[in-house]
């Protein structure tokens, strides 16, 4: 729990905005990609770490993803993305090309996700959304799959210790660092 391996790049429309306020996920992603991977440069933004970038269906199905450096990006599938055969085929093909994937805010197990769980690299679990007993059961269920588990919204040392004892591999939250604005208003979250 003491080494930064990635940053989550998030869109914000102003420097004073802590919530995304996003009404168009595709435009928000385009802005983040344009700034981090274009204007500023991804190495300047994240150094040797990877960049988690939220993607909606439009981005996931587009060819724009393939312009991103697969060694620097983790494609984060938003929880609002409908899972269907077309999406699964596309993500699997990108995975076979070397792109890494994360499932965002994964708090409700459903068999519909199983084809994705076969190849996603990281499952991000919002630990504040589950009571302790449900979290323990959820982690045990996810351990059947090869993905690494990331505990999101870790804000206390007790929460970090509990998640580590449950077997989480990665951790994200304010206890590790607060968002920093980079470029035109998108924060990096550790």
């Amino acid at each position: 729990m003491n080494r930064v391996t990635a940053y989550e790049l998030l869109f914000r429309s102003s420097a004073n905005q802590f919530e995304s306020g996003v009404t168009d996920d595709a435009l928000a992603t385009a802005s983040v990609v344009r700034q981090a991977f274009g204007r500023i440069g991804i190495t300047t933004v994240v150094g040797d770490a990877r960049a988690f970038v939220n993607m909606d269906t439009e981005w996931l199905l587009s060819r724009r993803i393939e312009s991103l450096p697969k060694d620097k990006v983790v494609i984060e599938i938003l929880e609002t993305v409908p899972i269907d055969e077309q999406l699964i085929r596309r993500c699997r093909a990108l995975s076979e090309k070397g792109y890494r994937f994360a499932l965002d805010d994964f708090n409700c197990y459903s068999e519909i996700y199983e084809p994705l769980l076969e190849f996603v690299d990281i499952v991000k679990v919002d630990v504040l959304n589950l009571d302790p007993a449900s979290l323990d059961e959820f982690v045990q269920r996810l351990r059947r799959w090869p993905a690494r588990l990331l505990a999101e919204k870790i804000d206390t040392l007790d929460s970090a210790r509990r998640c580590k004892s449950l077997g989480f591999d990665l951790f994200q939250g304010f206890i590790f660092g607060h968002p920093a604005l980079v470029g035109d208003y998108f924060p990096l979250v550790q």
Side-chain angles (χ1 to χ4, degrees):
M1 285 195 296
N2 56 6
R3 185 173 62 88
V4 174
T5 60
Y7 294 92
E8 182 171 358
L9 307 185
L10 299 169
F11 172 82
R12 296 297 182 259
S13 60
S14 75
N16 300 329
Q17 191 176 7
F18 294 104
E19 296 295 319
S20 69
V22 170
T23 56
D24 186 323
D25 290 325
L27 285 177
T29 299
S31 178
V32 168
V33 167
R34 185 174 48 255
Q35 293 290 322
F37 293 89
R39 191 172 73 82
I40 299 171
I42 195 61
T43 302
T44 301
V45 176
V46 299
D48 292 333
R50 288 186 182 260
F52 278 71
V53 179
N54 293 322
M55 303 259 174
D56 69 346
T57 305
E58 181 180 330
W59 264 86
L60 289 165
L61 297 178
S62 79
R63 296 282 177 212
R64 293 179 284 186
I65 287 178
E66 295 172 65
S67 70
L68 301 176
K70 56 187 156 203
D71 63 323
K72 294 300 285 182
V73 69
V74 176
I75 298 165
E76 200 166 330
I77 302 171
L78 291 170
E79 66 278 8
T80 55
V81 170
I83 308 303
D84 61 23
E85 283 301 316
Q86 180 184 20
L87 180 89
I88 293 165
R89 277 193 310 276
R90 173 69 173 145
C91 291
R92 183 175 278 123
L94 288 167
S95 176
E96 289 169 358
K97 289 181 178 184
Y99 285 92
R100 297 181 70 194
F101 284 88
L103 290 176
D104 190 27
D105 291 337
F106 196 72
N107 294 322
C108 182
Y109 192 91
S110 170
E111 290 178 7
I112 197 163
Y113 291 101
E114 289 181 0
L116 290 173
L117 288 167
E118 292 174 6
F119 64 86
V120 296
D121 302 280
I122 297 166
V123 175
K124 296 178 73 174
V125 178
D126 178 348
V127 298
L128 295 180
N129 241 357
L130 297 165
D131 64 68
S134 297
L135 180 60
D136 188 30
E137 181 181 319
F138 195 59
V139 167
Q140 295 309 313
R141 188 165 203 182
L142 289 173
R143 281 287 165 220
R144 296 183 7 218
W145 305 99
R148 296 171 74 193
L149 300 183
L150 184 152
E152 295 189 280
K153 299 186 181 166
I154 301 297
D155 295 337
T156 67
L157 191 53
D158 285 342
S159 179
R161 286 182 181 137
R162 168 137 170 72
C163 288
K164 184 162 181 65
S165 74
L166 288 174
F168 279 90
D169 306 293
L170 302 166
F171 306 85
Q172 178 181 3
F174 289 152
I175 191 171
F176 305 108
H178 287 272
L181 294 177
V182 177
D184 292 334
Y185 311 121
F186 66 88
L188 298 175
V189 180
Q190 291 180 325

